[in-house]
Amino acid sequence: MKKNIIAMNASIMIGLGSILAAPSVYAESISNLEKQKESIQEKRSGVESNISDTEKKIDSLQDKQMTAEDQIAAIEAKIAESAKKIDAKNAEITQTKKEIEALKEEIKVLKERIAKRNEVLKERALSFQETGGDVNYLEVLFGSSSFGDLVDRVGAVATIAEADRDILKQHELDKKDLEEKQKAVETKLASLEVAKAELLEIQKQQKQQKQEKDALVKKLKQQTEKHEHEKMGLEEEKANLAAQEKAIKSAISLEHQRLAELEAARKKAAAEAKKRAEQEAAQAAAQAASQASQATETKKQSTSSGYSAKSNSSSSSSPASSNVSQAPAVSSGTFTRPSAGYVSSTMGERWNKQHAGIDIAASGTVPVVAAADGVVSRSYFSSTYGNVVFVTHSISGQQWTTVYAHLSSRQVGEGAVVAKGQQVGIMGNTGHSFGQHLHFELHKGPWNYSKSNAVNPLNYVNI
């Protein structure tokens, strides 16, 4: 009888031990979740720092772009100014060429005048040669008939000699003037041509500078667009990390709630066990003092009690079942199939980009289910993913993230707790998609913009 009491107490302690062990399991899960939350917070901090650095780069590039554009505007003003100067020089050159043409006419007249003077001088020289030069003048003087006639003849000779000297002097002046005019006009034209050539060279350099600045502005714009795209990706990553942190906090809260429930159940079970132990001890003492017939009756009662416990155990262990219409059967592995259909595209490089998941295609109304227990970290419409649901999972201390994209509709909101196989949406063709399908991603850790944590779902899910 004492052995029976010891065995019964041992059975009760084993039951209590299993209840007491559960809180430690949940406590370990909470500890793992806390670590995951800290890891996400660190990553968020890193992403925020990257966003700040990217914003600084964008600001710097925009400043450089504005400076370059100001420089381009200044160069364009200089080019316009040079063009005006070149036009002015062209006008001066045209005017100078007109002056040259007019001068040519003057030169032509002057040359004719000089030619006539030369003819007069030649005739005079010929006359001198024929008459003996100065003898001609003496003959003129001695041939006078009177003193008055002599005076008149002396005046005439002087006048002729002065005329000859004037002709020679004017002849020299005209020749000199002609040479000076020719030289001045030629010098002016050459100077204008040089000035024009210099202006054209300056304008050429200015245009080259403008081309270089235009190329710089184009490059700066491309770099700015690249960093702005990177910033958008980082901001999306930040939002996802914030949502995952919220989901982890929700999971921690649930774990604390379960732990509290287990603690209450433990206390209740301990109290009931103590009460049963006291009842069994009293019953055993009564049985020890009873007669043999009472011992037989006690045995019957013990058998009946065992049958009842067995019946209760059997009834309590019947599994609860849930059925999701048109959804794939829930598998026993870590992850279950997220939807019906066939794999239309696998993970890997596609269209010169990394396809970070798999595509499952099917026609009709196809339910999409959660691949594992978790918390919905994001549920929104993305320009690329379309209607998309992110679910954060904590499995054996490891954080996982599943992504369900291109849904026609979403049936869960952010912060919702979902069970493995629970419907989260309907397969669709939203976002950057070609034909109805589910784009399914599996990340060992949090989702990030570069998708560096993505793993091949076909290695983890039986599809």
Side-chain angles (χ1 to χ4, degrees):
M1 190 64 63
K2 188 175 181 180
K3 290 180 179 179
N4 288 336
I5 294 172
I6 294 170
M8 192 173 298
N9 287 336
S11 176
I12 291 169
M13 292 306 294
I14 290 170
L16 282 172
S18 63
I19 293 173
L20 289 169
S24 64
V25 173
Y26 280 99
E28 184 179 355
S29 176
I30 290 171
S31 176
N32 290 331
L33 288 170
E34 289 286 357
K35 290 178 181 177
Q36 291 175 20
K37 184 182 75 173
E38 290 174 2
S39 174
I40 289 173
Q41 288 173 339
E42 289 178 1
K43 288 176 181 176
R44 273 188 66 191
S45 177
V47 170
E48 287 172 353
S49 177
N50 289 338
I51 289 173
S52 177
D53 291 341
T54 303
E55 286 175 344
K56 289 178 182 177
K57 289 178 183 177
I58 291 171
D59 290 342
S60 175
L61 287 169
Q62 288 176 341
D63 289 342
K64 290 179 180 178
Q65 185 176 325
M66 289 178 65
T67 301
E69 287 173 349
D70 290 342
Q71 291 173 345
I72 288 171
I75 291 170
E76 287 176 343
K78 289 180 179 178
I79 290 172
E81 184 180 352
S82 297
K84 287 182 180 179
K85 289 181 179 179
I86 289 169
D87 290 341
K89 290 297 177 187
N90 284 330
E92 286 186 50
I93 289 170
T94 302
Q95 182 61 33
T96 303
K97 286 181 178 179
K98 287 181 180 179
E99 291 175 6
I100 290 172
E101 291 299 321
L103 184 59
K104 284 181 180 178
E105 292 298 320
E106 291 180 14
I107 290 170
K108 182 179 179 182
V109 173
L110 186 58
K111 283 182 177 179
E112 289 175 356
R113 190 183 304 161
I114 291 170
K116 287 180 180 179
R117 289 192 189 122
N118 283 334
E119 288 298 323
V120 171
L121 292 173
K122 284 179 183 179
E123 290 175 2
R124 189 70 56 80
L126 181 60
S127 175
F128 287 167
Q129 287 177 358
E130 290 176 351
T131 59
D134 290 341
V135 175
N136 191 27
Y137 287 112
L138 291 173
E139 288 179 355
V140 171
L141 293 175
F142 289 126
S144 56
S145 59
S146 64
F147 181 77
D149 185 27
L150 175 63
V151 171
D152 290 337
R153 289 182 178 237
V154 169
V157 170
T159 301
I160 293 170
E162 184 66 27
D164 289 344
R165 284 194 296 270
D166 288 343
I167 290 172
L168 291 171
K169 183 178 180 182
Q170 189 62 45
H171 189 63
E172 291 297 327
L173 288 174
D174 287 345
K175 286 176 67 179
K176 185 178 180 182
D177 184 52
L178 176 61
E179 290 173 355
E180 287 177 352
K181 283 184 178 180
Q182 283 183 324
K183 184 176 181 181
V185 172
E186 289 171 357
T187 301
K188 182 178 179 181
L189 182 60
S191 176
L192 289 171
E193 293 289 354
V194 169
K196 179 184 175 181
E198 290 175 351
L199 287 170
L200 288 171
E201 181 61 28
I202 290 170
Q203 190 182 58
K204 180 181 177 182
Q205 292 175 0
Q206 289 169 343
K207 288 181 178 179
Q208 179 64 30
Q209 289 174 357
K210 183 179 180 298
Q211 288 178 352
E212 291 173 358
K213 293 298 179 183
D214 286 338
L216 175 61
V217 169
K218 183 179 179 181
K219 182 179 178 181
L220 290 170
K221 284 182 178 179
Q222 290 174 344
Q223 290 177 344
T224 301
E225 289 175 1
K226 177 185 175 183
H227 287 304
E228 284 176 345
H229 184 70
E230 182 181 347
K231 180 186 173 184
M232 288 175 63
L234 289 169
E235 286 176 342
E236 186 172 2
E237 183 176 349
K238 177 185 174 182
N240 275 285
L241 287 170
Q244 288 178 10
E245 183 180 353
K246 185 178 178 182
I248 292 293
K249 287 179 179 178
S250 176
I252 291 172
S253 177
L254 288 172
E255 294 297 303
H256 278 295
Q257 183 180 344
R258 291 175 186 174
L259 187 60
E261 290 172 355
L262 284 172
E263 181 64 19
R266 184 189 67 78
K267 289 179 179 179
K268 183 178 179 181
E272 290 176 353
K274 182 179 179 182
K275 185 178 179 180
R276 284 199 300 270
E278 290 174 350
Q279 289 175 350
E280 293 294 338
Q283 185 180 0
Q287 288 174 349
S290 66
Q291 297 178 355
S293 59
Q294 291 174 335
T296 303
E297 185 63 22
T298 301
K299 184 176 181 181
K300 291 179 180 181
Q301 291 177 358
S302 176
T303 303
S304 174
S305 175
Y307 175 78
S308 176
K310 183 177 180 181
S311 298
N312 290 337
S313 175
S314 175
S315 63
S316 63
S317 63
S318 59
S321 62
S322 62
N323 182 30
V324 181
S325 177
Q326 301 179 7
V330 179
S331 66
S332 58
T334 303
F335 298 99
T336 192
R337 183 189 183 102
S339 74
Y342 66 95
V343 177
S344 60
S345 182
T346 57
M347 183 175 178
E349 188 173 343
R350 187 178 69 176
W351 303 328
N352 296 323
K353 290 185 178 180
Q354 179 65 16
H355 188 232
I358 61 171
D359 293 342
I360 302 175
S363 59
T365 303
V366 184
V368 175
V369 302
D373 296 345
V375 178
V376 177
S377 54
R378 293 207 76 187
S379 177
Y380 71 114
F381 185 85
S382 163
S383 60
T384 52
Y385 279 138
N387 281 312
V388 61
V389 173
F390 288 70
V391 180
T392 299
H393 314 272
S394 179
I395 302 171
S396 302
Q398 172 65 49
Q399 180 187 349
W400 297 81
T401 305
T402 50
V403 180
Y404 313 81
H406 307 313
L407 305 175
S408 64
S409 63
R410 294 171 278 118
Q411 298 182 351
V412 290
E414 293 182 6
V417 179
V418 293
K420 183 180 182 182
Q422 179 180 334
Q423 188 169 339
V424 297
I426 301 292
M427 186 185 291
N429 186 29
T430 58
H432 189 64
S433 170
F434 303 96
Q436 178 172 295
H437 70 284
L438 167 68
H439 175 73
F440 177 68
E441 294 179 13
L442 179 61
H443 300 261
K444 193 172 184 179
W447 182 95
N448 57 49
Y449 174 66
S450 62
K451 301 182 182 180
S452 58
N453 292 331
V455 295
N456 192 344
L458 295 178
N459 295 335
Y460 297 86
V461 185
N462 186 17
I463 296 180

